């Protein structure tokens, strides 16, 4: 098992090409080849296309099993999704060997106290029915009050925050790598400044930053900085505001109600050019930029499309997609969480107050 602990010197010395291991982006990639893999700063490889498990708990066991049988090898889940048992059963029933699957999960914000981190992972491992996860992430940089309440609130409905810092949580996560319970550690929804703190104040560079990236929110400067640090990006919500969650949640932004990414005429034109669907073009855009994508679906034909979304886009077409960037961030529960998320990043305008659940 490779260690997740790397020095800052090594991580900073990594060149962008270090993350690309199996193919060149714009040469000789067949439309039907299996998804490529990228190399993390731990030496492990992560698939370019994965399977997200947010929502649809009653369907996830079967969907995970079918996704694995269809060829996907990256499964993303989280404690707060209440889906880990289903994911574990789906992995077992798929017949795919555990060692062939890159499995990632996330700690939730009420388990960030250093004394709670290992117990929280142990529970996830039990639910997932696996002795280790390939990637353990912090879901957000904000700490909620310790306890069983996932969204602890006061009498007025305001979120109750904890005293633990994300740095203390990170140090506790580092110990889990040494114990073999997590083969890599990373974060999700962090700002650049928060990541700089982790890099400066610890001996482990995050292997992954999972964040919102899609044609409406491309964050090119931030993505370039992450790559320079040797931090691999996994895109959540790779299809932008296609998910109705962003239109129905209590803190839904007005911008979430705009035309869906997949309804953009220019993307439809590109889909026709490549003989692919718009969804496949959008996913391929992320992969061609050197990132992994984790679309979600429980429908067989959509899963099959996702598997076949790793194909080369011409540089000129990548540039066309870049014109769609309007810095529209759909996932921003800052006011509900009582914490300014993404403080130094794009797309924080229009944040609204409202309960997540």
């Amino acid at each position: 098992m490779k260690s997740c602990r790397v020095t800052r010197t090594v991580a900073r010395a990594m060149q962008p090409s270090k993350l690309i291991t199996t193919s060149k982006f714009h040469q000789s990639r067949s439309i039907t080849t299996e998804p490529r893999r990228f190399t993390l700063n731990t030496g492990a490889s992560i698939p370019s296309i994965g399977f997200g498990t947010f929502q649809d708990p009653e369907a996830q066991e079967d969907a995970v099993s079918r996704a694995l049988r269809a060829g996907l090898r990256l499964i993303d889940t989280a404690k707060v999704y209440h889906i880990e048992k289903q994911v574990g059963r789906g992995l077992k029933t798929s017949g795919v060997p555990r060692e062939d699957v890159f499995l990632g999960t996330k700690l939730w914000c009420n388990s960030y106290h250093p004394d709670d981190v290992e117990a929280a992972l142990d529970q996830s491992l039990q639910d997932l029915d696996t002795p280790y996860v390939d990637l353990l992430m912090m879901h957000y940089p904000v700490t909620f009050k310790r306890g069983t309440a996932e969204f602890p609130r006061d009498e007025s409905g305001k979120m109750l925050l904890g005293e633990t810092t994300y740095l203390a949580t990170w140090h506790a996560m580092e110990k889990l790598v040494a114990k073999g319970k997590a083969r890599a550690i990373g974060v999700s929804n962090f700002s650049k400044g928060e990541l700089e703190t982790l890099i400066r104040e610890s001996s482990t560079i995050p292997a992954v930053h999972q964040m919102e990236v899609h044609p409406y929110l491309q964050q090119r400067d931030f993505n370039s900085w992450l790559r320079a640090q040797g931090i691999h990006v996994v895109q959540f919500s790779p299809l932008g505001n296609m998910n109705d969650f962003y239109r129905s949640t209590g803190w839904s932004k007005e911008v979430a109600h705009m035309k869906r990414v997949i309804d953009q005429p220019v993307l439809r034109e590109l889909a026709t050019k490549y003989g692919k669907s718009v969804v496949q073009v959008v996913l391929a855009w992320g992969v061609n930029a050197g990132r992994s994508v984790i679309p979600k679906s429980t429908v067989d034909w959509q899963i099959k499309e996702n598997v076949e979304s790793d194909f080369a886009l011409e540089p000129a077409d990548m540039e066309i997609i870049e014109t769609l960037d309007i810095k529209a961030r759909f996932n921003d529960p800052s006011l509900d969480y009582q914490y300014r998320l993404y403080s130094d990043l794009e797309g924080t305008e229009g944040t609204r107050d409202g309960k997540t659940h």
Side-chain angles (χ1 to χ4, degrees):
M1 182 182 73
K2 293 186 179 291
S3 170
C4 179
R5 301 177 66 85
V6 296
T7 65
R8 286 187 284 274
T9 300
V10 171
R12 286 172 176 162
M14 290 177 65
Q15 298 299 315
S17 60
K18 183 76 171 181
L19 296 175
I20 306 166
T21 60
T22 58
S23 314
K24 295 181 179 179
F25 282 151
H26 305 298
Q27 298 179 14
S28 69
R29 277 199 64 80
S30 165
I31 284 180
T32 58
T33 54
E34 292 183 359
R36 74 192 84 185
R37 301 179 75 95
F38 300 106
T39 300
L40 301 179
N41 61 22
T42 64
S45 67
I46 184 172
S48 62
I49 300 175
F51 187 77
T53 59
F54 177 55
Q55 301 175 311
D56 306 314
E58 71 289 342
Q60 288 299 341
E61 178 181 342
D62 185 53
V64 167
S65 181
R66 286 186 282 113
L68 289 169
R69 292 199 303 271
L72 293 177
R73 291 295 181 267
L74 166 60
I75 304 295
D76 175 78
T77 190
K79 183 66 175 179
V80 78
Y81 296 168
H82 301 155
I83 210 83
E84 289 176 319
K85 289 182 179 179
Q86 293 93 320
V87 170
R89 290 194 295 264
L91 199 161
K92 285 291 193 298
T93 60
S94 73
V96 176
R98 171 67 184 90
E99 60 269 21
D100 292 347
V101 179
F102 190 100
L103 176 62
T105 194
K106 308 177 197 72
L107 290 172
W108 185 237
C109 307
N110 64 337
S111 298
Y112 281 7
H113 190 283
D115 293 342
D116 299 337
V117 170
E118 183 169 11
L121 177 57
D122 285 343
Q123 184 61 59
S124 288
L125 295 177
Q126 179 178 324
D127 290 344
L128 290 165
D129 194 15
T130 180
Y132 68 94
V133 290
D134 296 274
L135 176 66
L136 176 66
M137 292 168 281
M138 268 188 279
H139 210 134
Y140 286 95
V142 56
T143 302
F144 294 165
K145 180 182 177 181
R146 295 176 73 185
T148 57
E150 291 179 337
F151 295 89
R153 302 179 185 275
D154 64 19
E155 293 180 355
S156 67
K158 294 293 185 182
M159 198 73 72
L160 295 171
L161 301 185
E163 297 179 355
T164 301
T165 67
Y166 58 83
L167 182 58
T169 308
W170 185 251
H171 288 316
M173 292 168 64
E174 289 180 300
K175 297 176 182 178
L176 300 179
V177 177
K179 291 184 176 184
K181 294 182 179 183
R183 295 193 169 177
I185 53 176
V187 297
S188 182
N189 295 297
F190 271 51
S191 70
K192 180 181 177 182
E194 290 158 349
L195 280 162
E196 287 175 327
T197 296
L198 293 184
I199 294 171
R200 183 178 62 252
E201 301 294 336
S202 80
S203 59
T204 305
I205 309 296
V208 164
H209 183 209
Q210 189 176 120
M211 65 181 195
E212 181 182 350
V213 184
H214 44 73
Y216 283 167
L217 182 69
Q218 300 186 20
Q219 304 190 83
R220 289 193 288 273
D221 289 344
F222 189 34
N223 270 294
S224 294
W225 180 85
L226 287 161
R227 173 169 285 200
Q229 307 306 311
I231 301 172
H232 182 64
V233 172
V234 174
Q235 296 181 204
F236 73 72
S237 297
L239 303 175
N241 59 339
M242 187 173 176
N243 193 331
D244 285 337
F245 172 80
Y246 291 128
R247 288 179 285 278
S248 61
T249 186
W251 40 262
S252 175
K253 287 184 173 182
E254 185 63 33
V255 70
H257 298 266
M258 68 178 291
K259 178 184 291 186
R260 298 184 305 170
V261 170
I262 63 170
D263 293 328
Q264 284 290 339
V266 68
L267 294 177
R268 292 181 175 179
E269 293 174 9
L270 290 175
T272 298
K273 173 181 176 178
Y274 286 94
K276 290 285 193 174
S277 71
V278 175
V279 166
Q280 289 175 310
V281 168
V282 174
L283 297 179
W285 167 78
V287 174
N288 277 253
R291 301 182 291 264
S292 296
V293 296
I294 47 171
K296 60 176 292 294
S297 178
T298 60
V299 181
D300 275 338
W301 69 265
Q302 292 176 341
I303 292 172
K304 184 175 185 296
E305 274 200 351
N306 294 344
V307 173
E308 298 173 352
S309 294
D310 184 358
F311 59 95
L313 293 174
E314 295 176 8
D317 293 332
M318 293 287 288
E319 293 177 2
I320 288 173
I321 296 174
E322 287 182 2
T323 66
L324 297 175
D325 188 12
I326 56 173
K327 300 174 175 53
R329 184 182 297 278
F330 304 124
N331 186 76
D332 192 352
S334 293
L335 293 178
D336 185 28
Y337 289 5
Q338 301 293 299
Y339 183 95
R340 178 64 267 180
L341 299 164
Y342 323 116
S343 59
D344 53 14
L345 302 178
E346 299 171 332
T348 59
E349 299 79 9
T351 304
R352 292 186 172 189
D353 199 1
K355 290 186 178 180
T356 303
H357 297 287

